[in-house]
Amino acid sequence: MRTWRSYLLGASLLLAFWQIGAWWAGESVLTGPATVLAELVSESETSRFWHHVGASAWRVIAALAASFATAVPVGLVLGSSRRADRFVRPVINLTYPVPKIVLLPLVLLIFGLGDTGKIVMLSLILFFQLLITTRDAATAVSRSAKYSLYSLGGTRRHLFVHVIWPSVLPAVFTALRIATGTVVAVLFFVESIGTQYGVGFYILDAWGRADVPQIFVGIVVLAIMGAVLYEIFDVLERVFCRWKQM
Amino acid sequence: MTQCCGELLRSTDLTKTYSADNGSVPALGPTSLALGHGETLALVGPSGCGKSTLLLLLAGLEKPTAGEVLFKGQPLTRPHREIALVLQDYGLFPWKTVRRNVELGLEIRGESMDSGRLDSLLAELDITEKMDLYPQQLSGGQRQRVALARALVLNPSLLLLDEPFAALDTLTRERLQDLVAAAWRKHAFGMIVVTHNIQEAVRLGRSIAVMGSTPGRILALVANPRGCSEDYRGQADFFEMSRLVRAHLEQTA
């Protein structure tokens, strides 16, 4: 309840500043929130708008799921095995700094212009964020915690279930929350090529038609999408890491 | 009260050297010791003298560079189900409630404990009311009681304590020392306590091994037959023993 109240307060402040800016600059330069809201309501009554939103949501969720399913297990293995980490770390150190977005043409060439190429591109960017966070969190598990578990008769499997996974989970949720910002930002780029659907395309299309209110509608939708995902991960963390609230 | 009958643990020429980037670091020189069933030993010495390393070797958690540990006559090469360990930082898992922490060892071993015995142990350690809390909701003394419960619930033949009360205030520390001494009198386990606190060594060790450093080794073994007995603290012989151990420690310095 407190979360919704703070969201409402934050949104009200943002809208107030936005409206003041629109009055100051004039609607022809900066479209005001009232106009954008009216446009949003009007757009939301069309199926085409929801098709754009659905296409983007699918790509974002698929990319988050794919990167989670690949990066987290690899991060756990690297964080738990010094030998594996020693072998793989140089590869990560060399590939992580490469700005993945420049790989967009190559990824689309290899995986096609359809959804697969776009999801692979998004996943590639998220992969490293999740991998490095998970690996570092698993590496940080204290020797004392390991001794404690082994002295109780635990095996490596028990260590993973009772120590490594629960201690890594908060870091994974933090990485996922950070990833939502990244994935929504990159979505705009990947949806600018080879598609007729998606909020990124919607914004570019509106830009091409110089339809400023619709550009703002697209921006607001992306912001809402990011905020919803962020909040979902926040709620999941509260459920699965209840001990962190204590 | 339990008395020694037969040998529970023996280490012979136990040595541990850690490898580092700039060569090897000797943590423990050749160290031999023996502990009888139901006996207690305190390892006391300055920081960095290898006390904790020795304890980890005796717990089967670290492999010695040389020498061997025999537990009940058998070589000890890995953690043994009859050896329980309590660490200075409690070793509790913050994501588990007190109940799940206490029962974790049993869960891992696929064992269960008679609820009456469990309740009695929890009452003995005064944590019955804390079972649904998380460790971070407890004070340091309460956390150490939980760590003790988690060890004792496994009904160990040997309890190893690594500077268990170092982070606690004086009164809490003394209260917990008395609690451990009472648990030892009741449950008849062997016990090795690592500490840098002389009075703690005298309170809990029926033998006191004084350790020196570089590399860590046992320099003197002092018999302290009143260790762990009731009403020992505050008695003249308690202070006399403390002075004796201090004199040995000062010699090592």
Side-chain angles (χ1 to χ4, degrees):
Chain A
M1 199 61 194
R2 201 185 303 154
T3 309
W4 289 113
R5 219 175 294 155
S6 58
Y7 261 111
L8 204 63
L9 182 68
S12 305
L13 272 173
L14 202 64
L15 288 173
F17 281 122
W18 185 1
Q19 186 61 66
I20 291 165
W23 281 331
W24 180 73
E27 280 271 334
S28 57
V29 178
L30 178 64
T31 309
T35 312
V36 173
L37 186 65
E39 185 70 24
L40 177 63
V41 170
S42 154
E43 282 290 276
S44 67
E45 286 164 358
T46 67
S47 63
R48 189 181 57 90
F49 172 80
W50 289 109
H51 203 151
H52 285 303
V53 174
S56 288
W58 154 245
R59 288 165 190 152
V60 165
I61 291 167
L64 280 166
S67 53
F68 178 86
T70 50
V72 172
V74 175
L76 287 169
V77 169
L78 297 183
S80 313
S81 161
R82 208 178 292 173
R83 193 181 301 171
D85 187 39
R86 208 167 31 223
F87 185 68
V88 177
R89 189 175 279 261
V91 180
I92 294 170
N93 289 355
L94 284 171
T95 50
Y96 174 61
V98 176
K100 310 300 171 302
I101 196 70
V102 300
L103 300 176
L104 181 62
L106 288 175
V107 170
L108 295 185
L109 270 175
I110 296 167
F111 294 96
L113 293 170
D115 269 356
T116 309
K118 292 173 175 54
I119 291 166
V120 167
M121 188 65 232
L122 293 171
S123 307
L124 198 60
I125 291 173
L126 299 179
F127 177 82
F128 283 92
Q129 291 186 0
L130 279 168
L131 171 73
I132 291 172
T133 310
T134 308
R135 180 200 64 191
D136 290 354
T139 309
V141 171
S142 72
R143 187 173 279 210
S144 161
K146 293 176 185 172
Y147 284 149
S148 189
L149 193 279
Y150 284 135
S151 74
L152 294 171
T155 59
R156 276 184 75 82
R157 185 179 69 80
H158 292 121
L159 182 72
F160 176 79
V161 173
H162 294 290
V163 179
I164 294 178
W165 178 241
S167 67
V168 157
L169 205 49
V172 170
F173 278 117
T174 302
L176 282 170
R177 281 199 300 268
I178 294 170
T180 56
T182 312
V183 75
V184 170
V186 178
L187 185 70
F188 174 76
F189 286 100
V190 299
E191 288 184 340
S192 64
I193 299 167
T195 183
Q196 298 288 306
Y197 285 103
V199 181
F201 171 79
Y202 177 90
I203 293 171
L204 277 176
D205 183 49
W207 187 20
R209 290 182 284 105
D211 189 338
V212 180
Q214 279 199 6
I215 293 177
F216 273 104
V217 166
I219 294 169
V220 167
V221 169
L222 284 183
I224 291 171
M225 200 182 283
V228 167
L229 281 171
Y230 191 98
E231 199 53 46
I232 287 172
F233 289 130
D234 219 36
V235 169
L236 287 175
E237 184 179 8
R238 280 201 292 272
V239 171
F240 288 106
C241 306
R242 196 166 160 263
W243 58 276
K244 289 274 285 177
Q245 325 297 322
M246 302 298 164
Chain B
M1 180 181 299
T2 347
Q3 294 301 325
C4 170
C5 47
E7 197 167 271
L8 179 66
L9 181 89
R10 170 173 290 277
S11 80
T12 312
D13 295 332
L14 214 50
T15 308
K16 182 69 181 176
T17 303
Y18 289 105
S19 51
D21 292 340
N22 52 352
S24 56
V25 180
L28 188 71
T31 301
S32 301
L33 59 83
L35 184 79
H37 282 276
E39 266 303 338
T40 77
L41 170 72
L43 295 168
V44 65
S47 296
C49 74
K51 307 184 293 286
S52 295
T53 300
L54 176 56
L55 202 75
L56 293 174
L57 293 168
L58 298 177
L61 288 164
E62 288 281 348
K63 293 198 186 318
T65 310
E68 68 168 355
V69 180
L70 295 178
F71 180 72
K72 291 190 167 178
Q74 299 297 315
L76 184 78
T77 53
R78 59 176 64 180
H80 193 285
R81 61 190 301 116
E82 289 185 40
I83 301 177
L85 176 69
V86 175
L87 298 162
Q88 180 185 348
D89 67 358
Y90 321 116
L92 300 174
F93 302 121
W95 41 87
K96 290 183 183 292
T97 60
V98 167
R99 179 182 305 282
R100 300 240 25 228
N101 264 289
V102 169
E103 293 177 350
L104 182 59
L106 294 170
E107 182 190 329
I108 283 174
R109 295 165 188 218
E111 294 170 3
S112 60
M113 190 181 193
D114 167 51
S115 64
R117 223 190 107 223
L118 179 62
D119 290 345
S120 152
L121 179 66
L122 299 175
E124 192 183 318
L125 293 167
D126 196 20
I127 53 169
T128 309
E129 307 295 317
K130 313 290 180 195
M131 293 301 273
D132 294 323
L133 298 179
Y134 285 87
Q136 53 272 36
Q137 295 176 285
L138 306 178
S139 68
Q142 288 168 340
R143 287 183 208 184
Q144 200 54 285
R145 285 167 193 264
V146 175
L148 280 169
R150 189 171 69 177
L152 295 180
V153 88
L154 300 173
N155 198 21
S157 301
L158 177 62
L159 178 64
L160 303 173
L161 303 162
D162 186 10
E163 304 204 23
F165 315 125
L168 305 177
D169 65 86
T170 308
L171 285 178
T172 308
R173 189 164 61 221
E174 289 183 359
R175 222 169 283 144
L176 282 171
Q177 287 165 4
D178 292 344
L179 193 75
V180 168
W184 173 79
R185 290 194 298 271
K186 183 174 176 187
H187 297 285
F189 44 77
M191 179 166 74
I192 298 179
V193 188
V194 158
T195 180
H196 56 248
N197 182 304
I198 295 171
Q199 295 206 343
E200 187 163 283
V202 174
R203 179 72 189 94
L204 296 176
R206 289 162 58 83
S207 299
I208 300 166
V210 180
M211 293 186 69
S213 51
T214 340
R217 63 214 184 280
I218 293 174
L219 296 176
L221 194 61
V222 182
N224 178 38
R226 288 202 63 199
C228 270
S229 61
E230 255 179 307
D231 305 325
Y232 184 30
R233 190 200 314 282
Q235 302 292 314
D237 49 353
F238 179 85
F239 292 114
E240 187 51 44
M241 183 56 70
S242 300
R243 268 196 293 276
L244 180 63
V245 174
R246 174 182 288 275
H248 279 294
L249 266 176
E250 281 171 351
Q251 278 176 13
T252 71

